[in-house]
Amino acid sequence: FNFDDVKPGDFGCNVISMHVQKTDAWMCLDFKNLEESENGENEPESLVDTTDGADLADGTEFFGWIDDGDGTYEPPQEKALFGTSTQAASEVLDEKTYVIGDSKKGGACKVNTTRYVGMCWCAGDLVVNQNGTMSCDASTLGNEAQTDSFTLDVSIRAEPVNQKPKFICGDTPPKGNNGVG
């Protein structure tokens, strides 16, 4: 994901698909290395920004769920994975791991099947209603976030069930460039 020139009220959703082809697998969604940058201050920002550092990750909210592939959050069949209408990206995405399927939750992803994760974001207050509809309230993200940016590494980690029958996503992720054990 790469969003340029984010403004209050900007909103979007994506679906990530994960395909298992050779052996049943446990899957985890890892977020790491959240980095924020102030990128200087323009006049509108300098008039209201009283904090040191960037504000965009604190003013942007994310919500994720295990999806059926259609990109629409449909509770109660589909379960929330992370985020609520009051949790900023800096809270739900900074050094976090979420279970797509491990030995305690979600079950293994079987060969020749696909798992999906839906993810929506809002530059402001993301409101997720009980029926699954979402809206974005721009009024909570003001000029404080102008010129700010943040980056984040997102990876999907898969572990073969036959090699790690009791694998849990919260276990320490393996070291290395690709995050695959």
Side-chain angles (χ1 to χ4, degrees), residues 20 23-27 101-102 107-111 115 157-162:
V20 176
T23 184
D24 294 354
W26 309 119
M27 289 191 200
D102 69 11
C109 188
K110 302 292 184 188
V111 172
R115 291 271 174 103
R157 186 165 32 117
E159 298 287 348
V161 171
N162 59 357

Side-chain angles (χ1 to χ4, degrees), residues 105-159:
K105 181 179 177 185
C109 188
K110 302 292 184 188
V111 172
N112 296 321
T113 63
T114 302
R115 291 271 174 103
Y116 301 93
V117 172
M119 193 179 323
C120 291
W121 65 276
C122 163
D125 182 24
L126 178 61
V127 177
V128 181
N129 297 308
Q130 289 180 342
N131 65 0
T133 60
M134 297 182 209
S135 61
C136 182
D137 178 3
S139 67
T140 61
L141 183 65
N143 285 334
E144 296 86 359
Q146 283 197 20
T147 74
D148 296 357
S149 63
F150 70 92
T151 60
L152 177 71
D153 295 332
V154 181
S155 63
I156 298 163
R157 186 165 32 117
E159 298 287 348

Side-chain angles (χ1 to χ4, degrees), residues 61-135:
E61 296 180 357
F62 281 76
F63 177 75
W65 67 96
I66 302 295
D67 191 54
D68 62 9
D70 67 359
T72 302
Y73 179 50
E74 300 159 315
Q77 308 91 291
E78 297 176 345
K79 304 296 182 203
L81 193 57
F82 60 84
T84 66
S85 60
T86 58
Q87 291 182 301
S90 56
E91 294 175 57
V92 298
L93 302 181
D94 191 17
E95 302 302 316
K96 302 288 186 184
T97 293
Y98 296 98
V99 177
I100 297 167
D102 69 11
S103 64
K104 290 197 174 189
K105 181 179 177 185
C109 188
K110 302 292 184 188
V111 172
N112 296 321
T113 63
T114 302
R115 291 271 174 103
Y116 301 93
V117 172
M119 193 179 323
C120 291
W121 65 276
C122 163
D125 182 24
L126 178 61
V127 177
V128 181
N129 297 308
Q130 289 180 342
N131 65 0
T133 60
M134 297 182 209
S135 61

